[in-house]
Amino acid sequence: MPARILLVDDERGFVDTMAKRLENRGYTVGVAYDGPQALAALDGDVWYDVVVLDVKMPGMDGNEVLKAVKADHPLVEVIMLTGHATVESAIEGMKSGAFDYMMKPCNLEDLVSKVEDAYDKKQAHENKILEARARHIVLRRGD
């Protein structure tokens, strides 16, 4: 099953175009145009694997959204995306748990590759959790 991606950026044209391009590749894609919409989407009915998140947004910026995502949805991987990259914002994002950091405009192939890597990491974490739970159950039952 392909990764479920949430695109978050205040540039509607970018989000809508990128969403269509990713959907054409078989991904399930949700969109949000600001931080509060992104957090509401993550708390909604669709379970997202990877968030592609713009750093510079009015109101709640990407680093604030990243911190909230990691606090409430720690297994969701976040790829930070910006046209205004600075070393400081990249370091802050990585310290806060971002999977990776990319410059806009980005090549679609590069973004897809990062999304797949982030999805693989999320899947590996989920598998480790399931294995630990299974071991715990076995140990409790004495099998």
Side-chain angles (χ1 to χ4, degrees):
M1 182 170 194
R4 292 162 304 237
I5 305 165
L6 178 62
L7 294 175
V8 186
D9 197 315
D10 61 312
E11 295 178 38
R12 288 179 180 265
F14 170 78
V15 170
D16 296 342
T17 300
M18 190 61 71
K20 286 179 185 160
R21 293 177 75 189
L22 290 167
E23 286 169 347
N24 287 341
R25 291 175 176 256
Y27 294 99
T28 298
V29 181
V31 299
Y33 303 106
D34 61 32
Q37 281 183 3
L39 297 176
L42 286 167
D43 289 334
D45 294 336
V46 177
W47 194 263
Y48 292 101
D49 301 301
V50 179
V51 175
V52 177
L53 175 63
D54 187 28
V55 173
K56 296 282 186 186
M57 295 186 292
M60 187 178 205
D61 75 13
N63 281 314
E64 292 175 282
V65 175
L66 170 64
K67 289 173 186 170
V69 169
K70 286 301 184 176
D72 294 340
H73 307 278
L75 293 180
V76 172
E77 293 296 340
V78 180
I79 298 169
M80 305 297 284
L81 194 62
T82 187
H84 312 282
T86 64
V87 173
E88 293 81 17
S89 65
I91 290 170
E92 182 181 345
M94 298 306 276
K95 282 183 179 178
S96 297
F99 174 78
D100 211 338
Y101 198 95
M102 295 181 71
M103 288 292 297
K104 269 192 325 195
C106 64
N107 177 293
L108 181 63
E109 296 305 320
D110 293 340
L111 180 60
V112 166
S113 177
K114 295 278 187 208
V115 165
E116 288 300 318
D117 290 346
Y119 180 59
D120 289 346
K121 181 179 177 187
K122 180 181 184 275
Q123 293 294 104
H125 280 119
E126 287 177 344
N127 288 338
K128 284 181 184 178
I129 290 168
L130 290 174
E131 289 170 10
R133 285 182 182 157
R135 278 193 305 274
H136 179 72
I137 291 168
V138 167
L139 290 173
R140 276 194 5 223
R141 291 191 335 194
D143 292 350

